[in-house]
Amino acid sequence: MATSALADGGTLTGYTSGYRTLNPAVQSGAATGAPGSQIFAGLVLVGKDYEIQPYLADSWTVADDALSVTFNLVDGATFHDGEPITSEDVKFSLEAVKANHPFGKAMFGKITEIDTPDPDTVVVHFSEPVPGFLYSLQPLLMPIIPEHIYGDGQELKTHPRNMENVVGSGPFRVVENNPAERLVLEKNPDFFIEGKPKLDRMVYPLVKDPLTRMLMLEKGDVDYAAFAGIRPTDWPRLERADGVEVTTDGYDAIGYVHYLELNLREKPFSDLAVRKALAHAIDTDFLAKVIFGGKTAAGTGPLHTGNPFYTADVEIYEPDLDLAAKMLDEAGYPVGADGKRFSFVLDVPSWAPQAHVPMAEYIQAQLAKIDIAVELRRAPDFGTWVKRIAAWDYDATMNGSFNYPDPIIGVHRHFDCDNIQNVIWSNTQGYCNPEMDKLLDAAAIETDPAKRMELYAQIQKLETEDLALIYMPQDFSVTVYRDDVKGLPDTPFGALAPFLDVTVGE
């Protein structure tokens, strides 16, 4: 095992399942977010019990009318190349995320102006209140990136410095980046928090196969594996392994939900009756019990059952194959001479195969019972799947995403008409309902908790009536780590928070 016996320091060996960029300003998800939160700092951190804590922002003041926030930056913070981090970099980063992140508009669309009266002060102005704004300012969602690197006029999403000679603002700097083999991060000796981070290095070898990952954990070749991708039946085996710990802690703020995404632009999936028939054909309770061993719940809508705005008072499509077949007949999709109603290709991502593959195989078998032919197309890698879905070049795909603490961050992006983009984990399915937009807009600025709760109840109800996405069981998210790994983030974001206090050793 690649570790050190030092009280502080050491090398933490994790893993990566593959990534396209190290810049969280242009990509959401754990593949980029886990290393990205170590490479880049944010204005704030989200601590235990969702308390907002200082990070690059030493302090802040929210105006009485909630239409502006003034941030005071810490003294002496620098990027990895030694250049100072200034208010202009913060302004540039906010504008970059707003324009390029899959849900940048949802988080920062109401920003009207950003003032930088001096190098250490940033004033953000809004057209309307944004209740979840501070939650959006952690490094996972709003990394502070250097304007002197990225402000050269090149397209940010494809900027070469997203992967080559990466200059960050966080506790670790990139010293080796070979996506086909491994990523190596090294302690930033000039980090603005004295004595942090405690680790010397973080190493992420490429390990795509969950079984291989589990064997490496058992043997001690990997110290830490978040989003480990193990099956519920693997849990007892790992717990019996010498020196191995297993936990579901650190995912509270994630709210990972799985869903069947249909391209709504053309028939048959543009037809609501077809979507409802499919929902009746899929038994999500069965999937939760069989695939996830009963360790997770069947999804009922866009919000995770652990989200504070969740409601179960939505339309539930009870499994009924006879009803599904009847609905398809009535909708104009009878069984043809070839024995099929219609056929489609269901894309299966390369990530989270322990969930997506068996769910896709179940859907294929289940829909065959009502004479729908489903061809499974397994993506060879993450980039292939992303390119296809972002280009809207698909019929249907298994998918999943994070809710995050405030629905503005992780939920609005899937349903807002203005967020139909060629960007993964946006509204790629092409759903647009003006009534939904009105509800989203109202919830985004409502500061009264009770009224906001009611608005999100209406949003969940409307989504399940429209079936913009068909929800599958929620994810079984697990972290597996060696017992000599200490100081892991005790926050709702767990693995997607900076590892400031982590050590490895005896």
Side-chain angles (χ1 to χ4, degrees), residues 78-323:
T78 62
F79 289 105
H80 294 165
D81 61 359
E83 290 294 317
I85 299 173
T86 72
S87 56
E88 291 296 334
D89 294 299
V90 175
K91 177 180 179 179
F92 178 81
S93 300
L94 277 165
E95 292 172 343
V97 172
K98 178 181 177 180
N100 294 279
H101 196 278
F103 36 106
K105 289 182 180 178
M107 295 189 295
F108 304 135
K110 297 189 184 302
I111 293 177
T112 57
E113 190 176 1
I114 303 172
D115 296 330
T116 54
D118 61 63
D120 297 323
T121 307
V122 182
V123 185
V124 183
H125 300 271
F126 310 100
S127 58
E128 298 173 290
V130 183
F133 179 64
L134 291 176
Y135 286 119
S136 304
L137 301 181
Q138 58 183 302
L140 172 67
L141 300 171
M142 216 292 284
I144 303 302
I145 62 176
E147 183 179 18
H148 66 275
I149 298 292
Y150 290 107
D152 59 359
Q154 296 189 68
E155 172 64 37
L156 189 63
K157 292 175 185 175
T158 57
H159 200 289
R161 299 296 287 275
N162 290 338
M163 290 291 276
E164 302 169 9
N165 191 20
V166 179
V167 173
S169 51
F172 294 89
R173 58 189 184 186
V174 180
V175 293
E176 181 182 338
N177 180 23
N178 183 345
E181 294 184 9
R182 69 175 189 166
L183 170 70
V184 180
L185 307 183
E186 185 179 82
K187 178 178 183 175
N188 174 12
D190 300 315
F191 189 53
F192 58 88
I193 302 178
E194 187 175 356
K196 306 293 176 70
K198 294 183 177 180
L199 283 172
D200 293 322
R201 288 159 63 89
M202 298 180 70
V203 180
Y204 301 84
L206 179 66
V207 187
K208 290 187 176 182
D209 179 51
L211 178 59
T212 301
R213 197 179 305 150
M214 187 172 72
L215 293 173
M216 292 175 73
L217 281 160
E218 289 180 315
K219 292 167 55 182
D221 295 332
V222 172
D223 303 315
Y224 176 85
F227 300 94
I230 68 171
R231 299 166 297 183
T233 52
D234 294 329
W235 184 307
R237 171 180 167 182
L238 284 167
E239 283 193 315
R240 290 192 297 268
D242 184 42
V244 174
E245 302 288 340
V246 186
T247 181
T248 55
D249 292 344
Y251 297 95
D252 294 350
I254 300 302
Y256 188 175
V257 294
H258 289 292
Y259 47 85
L260 172 64
E261 178 180 329
L262 307 171
N263 192 330
L264 307 182
R265 294 169 179 83
E266 297 179 2
K267 290 189 174 184
F269 301 137
S270 60
D271 192 327
L272 178 58
V274 171
R275 302 200 296 274
K276 290 190 173 185
L278 297 189
H280 279 296
I282 298 169
D283 188 342
T284 52
D285 284 322
F286 172 82
L287 288 171
K289 292 173 183 175
V290 173
I291 294 176
F292 295 100
K295 291 186 178 291
T296 188
T300 60
L303 289 182
H304 192 278
T305 53
N307 191 286
F309 295 99
Y310 172 80
T311 179
D313 185 19
V314 297
E315 186 167 353
I316 302 295
Y317 297 87
E318 298 294 342
D320 189 329
L321 287 172
D322 291 337
L323 176 59

Side-chain angles (χ1 to χ4, degrees), residues 380-452:
D381 51 53
F382 181 68
T384 299
W385 176 80
V386 166
K387 183 177 180 180
R388 183 173 291 140
I389 306 309
W392 310 337
D393 183 24
Y394 71 105
D395 297 328
T397 184
M398 303 308 304
N399 206 342
S401 62
F402 301 159
N403 272 187
Y404 296 105
D406 193 291
I408 289 176
I409 303 172
V411 178
H412 287 220
R413 54 177 162 155
H414 294 303
F415 310 114
D416 194 325
C417 294
D418 290 338
N419 206 40
I420 299 175
Q421 302 184 65
N422 294 113
V423 178
I424 195 62
W425 293 309
S426 63
N427 187 349
T428 46
Q429 75 272 19
Y431 170 76
C432 186
N433 183 338
E435 182 182 353
M436 177 66 84
D437 274 9
K438 289 179 182 178
L439 290 170
L440 294 172
D441 291 344
I445 63 172
E446 182 54 65
T447 56
D448 182 282
K451 292 180 181 178
R452 202 160 185 244

Side-chain angles (χ1 to χ4, degrees), residues 27-47:
Q27 178 72 65
S28 66
T32 293
S37 294
Q38 315 306 328
I39 300 166
F40 297 93
L43 286 177
V44 304
L45 291 174
V46 177

